[in-house]
Amino acid sequence: MIRLAGLALLALAAAPAASRAQQGPSAEERFRGLPPEKQEELRRRYRELQQLPPEERQRIQENLARLNRMSPDEHARVDENYRRFRAMPPEQRQQVLQEWQRFRSLSPQEREQLRESLRRVMTADPDQRRQILENMDRWQRMTPEQREDARQRFREQRQERRQERQEQRRERKQERRERHLEQKERLRRH
């Protein structure tokens, strides 16, 4: 994986000279000021970057542009997330990357639904959040057959609740009808 900082330096090197003049030392000057091992690492990363398909390079440039538009607080949060990611064991990093790829493959509507679910989890009170996370963990440990059984039970329970609500509505409607008839009868007698 190409480090974001290395890509940022590469992107700065490709920036027009006019914009570089406003930013202080040029990318080349900053590059020359790096220790030889860092220079070699950037050269290696640059070669890796050049081997990527054009659409992947475009995506990286767009991400860098978005990073440059971030506020200092947002930038610090991204940096902290990146440091935490790099500190993870390789198998955890791989799992995170796989989940990220799954997320990116979702439709915009599915992504928004997932974001909304996450917001609900994050804004839940601590006891509810703990319960939700325990349920999610339990779900992850289930076999596909167990998950399908759980889905079926959930569908059945949802159908039962729907039927109960319909029955309650019918009962309330019947009670209103009876009260209305009683009122009409009382008015008729008077």
Side-chain angles (χ1 to χ4, degrees):
M1 174 183 261
I2 299 174
R3 276 190 64 208
L4 202 51
L7 290 175
L9 283 176
L10 294 173
L12 287 173
S19 66
R20 285 196 313 253
Q22 298 170 357
Q23 297 172 358
S26 71
E28 183 177 346
E29 291 168 339
R30 289 191 302 270
F31 177 80
R32 300 275 179 233
L34 294 173
E37 62 276 1
K38 286 288 186 189
Q39 289 180 13
E40 186 51 42
E41 180 184 352
L42 281 177
R43 285 186 186 103
R44 181 182 56 77
R45 290 179 192 275
Y46 180 76
R47 288 189 296 273
E48 289 174 4
L49 180 65
Q50 293 306 308
Q51 292 175 0
L52 293 174
E55 55 277 353
E56 182 68 12
R57 287 196 309 262
Q58 177 66 33
R59 189 183 65 75
I60 290 170
Q61 281 185 322
E62 290 167 1
N63 287 342
L64 285 172
R66 191 172 66 235
L67 186 65
N68 288 331
R69 289 190 303 267
M70 287 182 181
S71 71
D73 288 343
E74 291 171 317
H75 205 287
R77 199 168 55 246
V78 168
D79 284 344
E80 178 57 30
N81 287 342
Y82 182 72
R83 275 192 284 283
R84 280 192 299 218
F85 175 78
R86 297 296 296 168
M88 289 178 179
E91 59 277 357
Q92 276 185 332
R93 281 198 310 258
Q94 185 62 33
Q95 184 179 5
V96 167
L97 290 174
Q98 287 171 345
E99 292 299 320
W100 175 244
Q101 289 302 326
R102 276 187 29 203
F103 177 77
R104 289 187 59 204
S105 70
L106 297 174
S107 72
Q109 296 85 4
E110 290 170 318
R111 284 188 223 167
E112 187 51 40
Q113 286 173 342
L114 192 56
R115 284 185 187 105
E116 183 55 36
S117 295
L118 181 59
R119 277 191 283 276
R120 281 197 304 270
V121 170
M122 298 310 290
T123 58
D125 68 64
D127 289 337
Q128 286 177 318
R129 185 178 315 121
R130 182 182 42 72
Q131 184 63 51
I132 291 168
L133 294 173
E134 285 174 6
N135 290 346
M136 290 170 66
D137 183 51
R138 192 175 318 119
W139 183 262
Q140 289 297 319
R141 287 181 279 142
M142 287 180 175
T143 65
E145 296 79 22
Q146 290 171 323
R147 288 180 188 172
E148 188 51 42
D149 289 344
R151 284 185 190 105
Q152 185 59 37
R153 283 193 311 274
F154 179 75
R155 284 189 288 265
E156 290 168 359
Q157 289 171 351
R158 186 173 50 195
Q159 182 63 27
E160 288 172 9
R161 286 191 303 270
R162 192 175 296 138
Q163 289 171 344
E164 288 173 9
R165 286 192 304 269
Q166 287 173 345
E167 182 60 33
Q168 289 169 351
R169 281 193 293 272
R170 278 193 291 270
E171 289 173 1
R172 285 193 304 269
K173 190 175 181 179
Q174 182 62 31
E175 289 171 2
R176 284 192 303 268
R177 221 179 283 137
E178 290 172 0
R179 280 195 308 267
H180 180 71
L181 289 174
E182 288 173 5
Q183 287 174 349
K184 280 177 84 173
E185 183 62 30
R186 274 184 283 186
L187 288 174
R188 192 177 59 81
R189 280 189 244 156
H190 285 66

